Amino acid sequence: MGKVGAGVEIRETSIRLKFVYEGAPVKRTLLLNGSPMLPTPANVKYANRLAAEIRDKIRHDTFSMAEYFPANGIAGVLTVKVQLDTWLEGQRIEPSTRAAYSSAIRFWTGEIGDIAIRSLKHSNILKALATRPLLTGKTVNNYVDVLRQAMQLAVLDKVLTANPVADIPRASHQKEPPDPFSLEEAEKIIADMAKHYPEQVYNYCETKFFTGLRTSEGAGLQWPRVDLPSAYLQVSEAIVMKEQKDRTKTNQVRNVRLNSRALAALQRQAKHTRMVGEHVFNDPRYDKPWMDERAFRRSYWTPTLKRLGIRYRVPYQTRHTYATMMLMAGMTPAFCAKQMGHSVEVFLSTYAKWLGTDRDDAEMQRLEDSIKVPAATLKAVK
């Protein structure tokens, strides 16, 4: 038997708390991440604080056995790290989402992972975020949301009585606006790729510029979804985190009408891949689908922009380029939104900047023509 003081029993390889609750003696061995807590000076100090806190709550009738000793009454210190890991294990999510959640968990584990969840304070969270002042507002919100959900699980499991993350304010952030290429820039990029790289590379690039497919959609496009005679393709699959998915980002199937440029690129591409596999576009170096955008970006996209002296933008901007290209050609927002797989509201909010420009006078003239007072009426008034 070890030393006992103020309800703390120090044993050879563990620490045990002793107190009276609801008229019955209680003994609980403290655990840290599932194993008995070693009687180090720091842990003994913590145990004494914990014992005092429990006695005080029992005295004020606010003590909860489940909150302090979860898992069917087995004593333990449930840390932030353990709770985050437990929460993640229970998520049924895509690999890409799991990767994003894991990134947030690594951050919290490094900053506050060893703190017991019932001891987690608002200030602990704010101090952790303050260590990374360069994080964008969007990233901060994503990280906090993961922690909030993990702690809410503890509330639902009746380990906590309240969520310590509930009142953390959302960080302000502004969504990055589209940064499309001009039609002239797009033509230069396609022409330069045609000059320097295998045909499959610029077929892929031209299709991206003139269909507005998302990166994952272009990589995952399969020949059974392409109807060249009717000049349509169906977007129903995608490649995400190197995995072929039978659904898109929005979980909605859409039909994209092919303009002459996209149709020509797909017709050229057909001789390369239509008879050898289902995927439309392959990396010509390996004759395999583009499973990772980095391969296209590093080997073809970035060198092309450098040669041309065009300001760098990620390949995803080909999608924004097509959207703005359609608007500046005078196509209706409803049709454009359908092609892009957006609701009209989202499309208008994203591309409002391109709705006016040099077509304003023509649009106003259409109104003037419709409201013009007939000449006979004007003569009668005089």
Side-chain angles (χ1 to χ4, degrees):
M1 181 73 66
K3 295 184 292 182
V4 178
V8 177
E9 181 181 349
I10 304 171
R11 305 167 70 85
E12 185 174 352
T13 59
S14 63
I15 304 173
R16 188 161 66 179
L17 296 188
K18 301 172 66 175
F19 53 93
V20 176
Y21 179 56
E22 295 182 342
V26 178
K27 295 182 180 180
R28 292 290 185 266
T29 298
L30 294 181
L31 303 179
L32 181 60
N33 298 339
S35 300
M37 180 181 287
L38 296 175
T40 65
N43 287 344
V44 170
K45 185 177 180 180
Y46 166 79
N48 278 285
R49 289 201 306 270
L50 182 62
E53 185 176 309
I54 289 174
R55 291 195 303 272
D56 185 63
K57 289 202 170 186
I58 290 174
R59 186 164 52 251
H60 291 89
D61 198 26
T62 58
F63 176 70
S64 167
M65 185 69 77
E67 181 177 349
Y68 280 78
F69 302 104
N72 299 320
I74 300 174
V77 179
L78 184 58
T79 64
V80 171
K81 178 185 184 306
V82 172
Q83 181 62 22
L84 285 165
D85 290 341
T86 299
W87 171 80
L88 185 62
E89 289 173 3
Q91 303 304 303
R92 298 178 61 188
I93 49 180
E94 296 287 345
S96 56
T97 305
R98 185 172 295 276
Y101 286 172
S102 296
S103 177
I105 288 173
R106 285 194 297 272
F107 168 77
W108 294 118
T109 297
E111 297 295 333
I112 58 175
D114 292 336
I115 296 178
I117 63 170
R118 61 163 199 81
S119 299
L120 183 62
K121 300 177 181 178
H122 192 107
S123 58
N124 297 138
I125 300 168
L126 295 181
K127 288 178 181 178
L129 292 171
T131 65
R132 298 282 296 279
L134 298 182
L135 287 177
T136 65
K138 180 179 180 181
T139 300
V140 168
N141 290 337
N142 290 341
Y143 283 7
V144 171
D145 188 55
V146 166
L147 185 62
R148 181 182 292 111
Q149 291 186 59
M151 294 304 120
Q152 186 60 31
L153 177 61
V155 173
L156 295 174
D157 286 343
K158 301 189 184 305
V159 175
L160 293 178
T161 56
N163 190 333
V165 195
D167 294 327
I168 297 295
R170 292 186 62 79
S172 59
H173 75 278
Q174 182 174 340
K175 184 179 179 180
E176 286 295 322
D179 189 9
F181 294 88
S182 67
L183 179 57
E184 181 183 4
E185 289 176 321
E187 297 287 17
K188 287 181 177 179
I189 292 169
I190 295 167
D192 189 80
M193 286 191 171
K195 180 179 178 181
H196 290 92
Y197 303 128
E199 186 177 63
Q200 290 199 65
V201 175
Y202 70 87
N203 288 344
Y204 179 50
C205 184
E206 186 166 14
T207 301
K208 285 166 66 68
F209 267 120
F210 288 96
T211 61
L213 296 182
R214 295 180 176 90
T215 299
S216 59
E217 296 168 347
L221 183 64
Q222 299 190 10
W223 280 116
R225 311 291 178 259
V226 179
D227 187 346
L228 294 178
S230 299
Y232 274 94
L233 64 80
Q234 183 185 83
V235 180
S236 58
E237 295 154 324
I239 288 179
V240 181
M241 298 291 287
K242 300 184 179 182
E243 291 188 18
Q244 180 76 28
K245 301 293 182 182
D246 60 358
R247 54 194 176 278
T248 66
K249 178 181 179 181
T250 60
N251 291 317
Q252 293 182 336
V253 175
R254 75 178 188 277
N255 291 321
V256 175
R257 185 156 186 183
L258 299 174
N259 54 59
S260 59
R261 294 295 297 275
L263 185 60
L266 288 166
Q267 288 171 334
R268 294 194 308 266
Q269 183 63 17
K271 66 178 180 288
H272 294 286
T273 59
R274 194 165 195 174
M275 302 304 294
V276 299
E278 290 191 328
H279 282 91
V280 174
F281 296 109
N282 283 346
D283 183 338
R285 297 171 300 179
Y286 313 109
D287 286 329
K288 293 182 178 180
W290 296 98
M291 303 302 289
D292 188 337
E293 187 206 52
R294 289 177 298 179
F296 173 75
R297 188 175 68 242
R298 293 174 179 176
S299 298
Y300 303 111
W301 179 260
T302 301
T304 297
L305 267 60
K306 284 184 177 179
R307 274 194 304 269
L308 295 172
I310 292 176
R311 179 172 58 84
Y312 184 82
R313 278 150 282 179
V314 296
Y316 193 88
Q317 293 296 337
T318 59
R319 175 171 167 81
H320 293 317
T321 300
Y322 186 56
T324 57
M325 197 185 301
M326 287 191 291
L327 283 176
M328 289 188 288
M331 300 171 76
T332 65
F335 176 82
C336 298
K338 185 177 179 181
Q339 292 291 98
M340 300 293 288
H342 284 312
S343 67
V344 175
E345 292 77 13
V346 169
F347 184 84
L348 290 175
S349 66
T350 303
Y351 301 107
K353 177 180 176 181
W354 288 270
L355 286 172
T357 65
D358 56 359
R359 294 191 57 83
D360 287 354
D361 290 341
E363 292 299 308
M364 184 56 69
Q365 188 58 49
R366 291 173 64 181
L367 175 63
E368 292 294 348
D369 290 342
S370 70
I371 64 175
K372 187 178 295 182
V373 179
T377 303
L378 288 174
K379 188 177 294 185
V381 171
K382 291 179 180 179

